[in-house]
Amino acid sequence: MLTDLKTLDVRGKLSFDESMTSYNTWGVGGRAQCVFRPADVDDLQSFLKQYNAEQPVYWMGLGSNILIPDEGLSGVVVISHPGLQGISYKDDGSVYVEAGVACSKLARGSVKHDLQGLEFMAGIPGTVGGALAMNAGAFGGSTWEHVRSLKMITRSGELEQRQVDEFKVSYRTVETAADEWFVAAEFKLSRIEVNEEAVSIRELLAKRNHSQPIGEKNCGSVFKNPPGLFAAEMIQQCGLKGLKVGGAEISPKHANFIINTGSASATDITELMAKIISTVKKQYGVELQPEVRTLGDVK
Ligand SMILES: Cc1cc2nc3c(=O)[nH]c(=O)nc-3n(C[C@H](O)[C@H](O)[C@H](O)COP(=O)(O)OP(=O)(O)OC[C@H]3O[C@@H](n4cnc5c(N)ncnc54)[C@H](O)[C@@H]3O)c2cc1C
């Protein structure tokens, strides 16, 4: 029997027929039948146990790498932020952090605790859960290099402790068991020694500001870099910077960024992506693969 969402007994926030535009950094997409923001891990478990396993559930953090279809989503979108905020630093240099914590908070907190390795996360505008799902990375660092163990939640609300070797991890791709999501991770970091020069978060952020259209609505890099190549360079060489479809435009500042100039729809973005893929394919014989995830296609 289908669950009547309005009767669910949860402590977090359930909202209905909700516009998704404010939940993603592109600011596009239709409405979700229901959005659930759990208060904490117990609340999330309770929700999943009550919500019939046959009904769709989508998972999101801060929506900084997601395209939400204009047609919207039926079922429930679970948003881990601002719930799932647990974070604790241990004496052995490990950090336990829940999926809804912002990457920037983890990066800065780690440095404050004299731990290094996650500074690259300071400019990634997503959650730890999103970074785990994407194997987010920057400036030569990547999320999974530092992961020691994971806490997952199943569709029926069971918590499972997992080891790193149970996942297949590569560049911006992580294969998890079907119907399991990240609830928390333990990271193992190294100490910044007294005489060691720490990586400066301020400098990393300045580099980003210089090369990326910060302040405009975007989703970071739209395409993955093909092996040994740079998607941005290929798109630029094809003369595509500034190309528009509706309100979506290839950023004049960074060719692998698509910006919403104000009135873009998800369809505009999808069409612009298709133009980029076909033009680059014609010129280079290489098919660019989206880094951005379309909610509804991929969990
Ligand atoms: C200005 C800008 C700069 C960026 N720079 C970088 C960069 O340098 N490097 C980089 O790698 N990325 C970058 N990104 C992309 C993005 O910030 C990262 O991919 C980030 O890790 C996504 O986190 P999120 O919480 O926003 O995830 P979302 O966009 O909400 O979700 C992304 C994917 O993860 C899944 N997901 C989210 N949470 C969970 C969970 N708890 N369990 C299982 N699956 C989950 C979603 O279903 C979806 O498939 C940038 C984006 C922007 C807008």
Side-chain angles (χ1 to χ4, degrees), residues 37-41 79-86 98-102 127 183:
R37 277 165 287 172
D40 52 31
V41 177
I79 302 188
S80 64
H81 185 90
L84 310 195
Q85 283 298 305
E98 289 183 351
V101 170
T127 59
V183 161

Side-chain angles (χ1 to χ4, degrees), residues 2 25 61 106 184 257:
L2 295 187
T25 55
L106 175 60
F257 278 49

Side-chain angles (χ1 to χ4, degrees), residues 199-225:
V199 174
S200 159
I201 285 182
R202 190 188 295 220
E203 278 171 30
L204 295 185
L205 294 180
K207 275 192 198 163
R208 277 180 184 275
N209 279 334
H210 184 69
S211 61
Q212 298 180 359
I214 306 294
E216 296 189 86
K217 289 181 180 169
N218 69 75
C219 214
S221 293
V222 175
F223 297 101
K224 297 181 192 177
N225 290 323

Side-chain angles (χ1 to χ4, degrees), residues 25-26 63-68 103 120 123-127 130-139 141-143 170-174 208 212 218-227 229-232 235 254-258 269-270 273-274 276-277 287-295 297-299:
T25 55
W26 252 332
S64 63
N65 202 43
I66 249 175
L67 184 61
I68 293 170
C103 289
F120 74 88
I124 296 182
T127 59
L132 289 165
M134 299 298 308
N135 192 17
F139 303 115
S142 63
T143 304
S170 55
Y171 165 64
R172 303 291 178 270
T173 308
V174 177
R208 277 180 184 275
Q212 298 180 359
N218 69 75
C219 214
S221 293
V222 175
F223 297 101
K224 297 181 192 177
N225 290 323
L229 298 166
F230 290 101
I235 299 166
H254 191 308
N256 198 15
F257 278 49
I258 290 178
I269 292 171
T270 308
M273 286 172 66
I276 296 171
I277 292 172
E287 186 154 326
L288 290 177
Q289 300 299 321
E291 176 171 324
V292 68
R293 305 273 177 91
T294 300
L295 216 58
D297 283 357
V298 187
K299 72 170 181 160

Side-chain angles (χ1 to χ4, degrees), residues 46-205:
S46 156
F47 163 79
L48 288 170
K49 285 178 197 279
Q50 294 172 66
Y51 180 48
N52 185 307
E54 302 305 311
Q55 289 167 270
V57 58
Y58 306 96
W59 203 279
M60 275 181 66
L62 281 162
S64 63
N65 202 43
I66 249 175
L67 184 61
I68 293 170
D70 293 328
E71 309 73 61
L73 297 161
S74 65
V76 178
V77 182
V78 173
I79 302 188
S80 64
H81 185 90
L84 310 195
Q85 283 298 305
I87 182 162
S88 61
Y89 294 89
K90 299 184 187 136
D91 291 342
D92 67 352
S94 61
V95 189
Y96 173 84
V97 54
E98 289 183 351
V101 170
C103 289
S104 57
K105 182 173 175 184
L106 175 60
R108 288 175 193 282
S110 301
V111 170
K112 265 196 195 134
H113 284 80
D114 293 324
L115 297 171
Q116 61 184 342
L118 295 179
E119 297 86 340
F120 74 88
M121 276 195 178
I124 296 182
T127 59
V128 168
L132 289 165
M134 299 298 308
N135 192 17
F139 303 115
S142 63
T143 304
W144 279 74
E145 277 171 59
H146 306 282
V147 177
R148 185 147 83 178
S149 63
L150 290 308
K151 193 188 273 181
M152 310 296 291
I153 195 159
T154 65
R155 182 62 182 81
S156 53
E158 304 302 326
L159 293 175
E160 305 278 354
Q161 196 67 31
R162 300 235 177 271
Q163 299 309 310
V164 173
D165 60 13
E166 295 178 60
F167 298 83
K168 209 164 151 200
V169 179
S170 55
Y171 165 64
R172 303 291 178 270
T173 308
V174 177
E175 287 176 36
T176 58
D179 287 348
E180 267 192 17
W181 297 276
F182 299 103
V183 161
E186 189 182 27
F187 288 84
K188 179 77 174 87
L189 304 177
S190 54
R191 292 244 164 253
I192 304 170
E193 300 302 335
V194 180
N195 294 323
E196 204 174 351
E197 199 180 327
V199 174
S200 159
I201 285 182
R202 190 188 295 220
E203 278 171 30
L204 295 185
L205 294 180

Side-chain angles (χ1 to χ4, degrees), residues 250-262:
I250 301 177
S251 165
K253 195 164 180 186
H254 191 308
N256 198 15
F257 278 49
I258 290 178
I259 49 181
N260 173 2
T261 58

